Amino acid sequence: MTKGSLKFTTDNYYQLADGQIFMGPGFHVKEFNGIVPLFVVSYCQTGDEYLDDYAEQEMTSMRILKDYFGELPFRHYSLLLRKVIPPESVTAPSLAMEHLQSSTFFGDTSGIRAAPMSKEQLIRTMPTFLHHMSHAFIPLRCYGDAYRPYVMEIPPIINNIWFNEGFMWFLPYDTLKLERMKTGFYNNVYNGSPELKKLSLTQLSQAASTMYGTDFRIGTAVFSRGALMALEMNNYLKEKSGGKKSMKDVFRYLYQWAKLNQRPFTMEEFPLLIDKACRVNLSSIYKKWLLPIQ
């Protein structure tokens, strides 16, 4: 709309809080036919980007996630892209933000997409888009205690960011089969800061609650530990079941449990739930990864 008013309703506060607003004449919107309607919204300060490859990555992510979880929890999805010339030098990375049915990516204009990418480039640059769409399942609809309700004055201290982030970084590795991702997880955990390695996984998650992106050594350490926990569990499940069970079954079980119970799981419940998912005891792996890194 160029002027006037627009009225809309939301089902709850979180749907409103996770909404996205772009204003002004300098952005454009393109709709694509995915499993559900996809909207790509872009503002690029130095000129319009080529949007079709973003759409291909998002629509592929939809197909992967529907297969992984059995359904999509949104009726449509939107990707918002903002690329600007940085007003000043910054030390924190330009991290993206996930929402209930959309995701927002911030960045500078050095990496704009001006032309179609090769198939190899599409796969190589896809993990972060798949990762953030997967957050529509975990943790936005399946999460542990302290994630909600939001406390507006201060960030909540969350003990299981390793689950929210790490398990959803394992998913792109598991589905896209990019070995460089696993190499990155190992390097972040075992070749990272000695001080961070001394922290238990809960302590590291608590630090990440307020410093995940401010000091991204903390962010990469916490999600990499979570991803390696999921990876080890995945290998164990496949071994014990003769390849019939995997973390895909665990993720689907947790998501359906949250959908049925309409509440967060507690950290006391978490190891019991992942054991129930495939009727395989994963507690020894879980307890091992809670400890500091040796």
Side-chain angles (χ1 to χ4, degrees):
M1 298 177 64
T2 56
K3 61 181 180 179
S5 62
L6 177 67
K7 292 184 178 181
F8 59 93
T9 60
T10 63
D11 294 334
N12 53 60
Y13 166 78
Y14 297 107
Q15 195 178 79
L16 174 64
D18 270 354
Q20 298 164 309
I21 298 174
F22 263 36
M23 298 178 67
F27 68 92
H28 67 289
V29 183
K30 191 170 183 179
E31 182 178 358
F32 297 87
N33 294 319
I35 297 176
V36 298
L38 170 71
F39 300 89
V40 180
V41 188
S42 171
Y43 171 74
C44 183
Q45 194 171 356
T46 55
D48 290 342
E49 281 199 279
Y50 179 76
L51 301 182
D52 289 33
D53 285 342
Y54 288 113
E56 179 61 29
Q57 291 172 317
E58 292 289 288
M59 291 188 292
T60 302
S61 295
M62 288 182 190
R63 293 192 292 271
I64 289 172
L65 291 170
K66 185 174 182 181
D67 174 70
Y68 218 84
F69 287 94
E71 65 182 37
L72 293 179
F74 39 75
R75 294 191 298 270
H76 53 80
Y77 197 85
S78 59
L79 172 70
L80 271 69
L81 307 161
R82 188 215 67 178
K83 294 189 176 178
V84 299
I85 300 171
E88 58 186 21
S89 61
V90 294
T91 56
S94 298
L95 299 179
M97 179 56 65
E98 63 276 354
H99 316 289
L100 284 164
Q101 54 195 20
S102 58
S103 51
T104 307
F105 286 80
F106 307 94
D108 61 40
T109 53
S110 62
I112 64 170
R113 298 184 180 183
M117 303 170 73
S118 67
K119 185 175 181 180
E120 187 278 330
Q121 289 174 315
L122 281 170
I123 296 298
R124 179 171 52 82
T125 58
M126 188 173 156
T128 186
F129 296 102
L130 175 56
H131 166 78
H132 282 88
M133 188 181 286
S134 72
H135 278 318
F137 296 87
I138 297 173
L140 284 164
R141 290 174 172 86
C142 172
Y143 50 88
D145 46 9
Y147 184 73
R148 286 179 176 169
Y150 293 149
V151 178
M152 303 306 293
E153 292 80 7
I154 58 173
I157 301 301
I158 302 174
N159 293 324
N160 61 332
I161 290 179
W162 52 266
F163 168 74
N164 300 350
E165 293 293 333
F167 276 40
M168 291 299 95
W169 271 119
F170 165 79
L171 188 151
Y173 163 74
D174 189 38
T175 54
L176 300 178
K177 308 302 182 186
L178 296 175
E179 285 301 304
R180 64 175 175 81
M181 294 186 67
K182 182 169 72 172
T183 301
F185 298 151
Y186 274 96
N187 285 335
N188 292 335
V189 171
Y190 294 105
N191 299 326
S193 165
E195 295 304 315
L196 295 181
K197 290 164 69 174
K198 295 176 183 178
L199 300 179
S200 71
L201 193 54
T202 300
Q203 291 171 325
L204 183 61
S205 184
Q206 291 170 346
S209 296
T210 55
M211 298 183 67
Y212 187 92
T214 306
D215 186 340
F216 203 40
R217 295 176 302 170
I218 296 174
T220 55
V222 75
F223 78 65
S224 294
R225 284 203 212 177
L228 289 183
M229 180 199 294
L231 196 155
E232 185 173 345
M233 288 178 176
N234 192 54
N235 292 339
Y236 187 74
L237 287 170
K238 288 183 175 180
E239 176 189 342
K240 290 297 181 181
S241 67
K244 296 180 181 179
K245 298 293 182 179
S246 69
M247 284 301 285
K248 178 178 177 179
D249 299 286
V250 175
F251 287 4
R252 188 177 289 198
Y253 179 86
L254 290 171
Y255 169 68
Q256 290 296 334
W257 182 92
K259 186 176 178 180
L260 176 65
N261 289 274
Q262 291 292 299
R263 68 170 178 86
F265 56 80
T266 67
M267 293 319 296
E268 289 73 25
E269 290 174 310
F270 179 77
L272 303 176
L273 292 174
I274 60 174
D275 284 355
K276 284 183 179 179
C278 298
R279 300 189 182 280
V280 175
N281 192 327
L282 299 170
S283 60
S284 60
I285 299 174
Y286 172 67
K287 290 176 182 177
K288 184 190 84 171
W289 280 101
L290 290 179
L291 300 174
I293 299 300
Q294 300 298 322

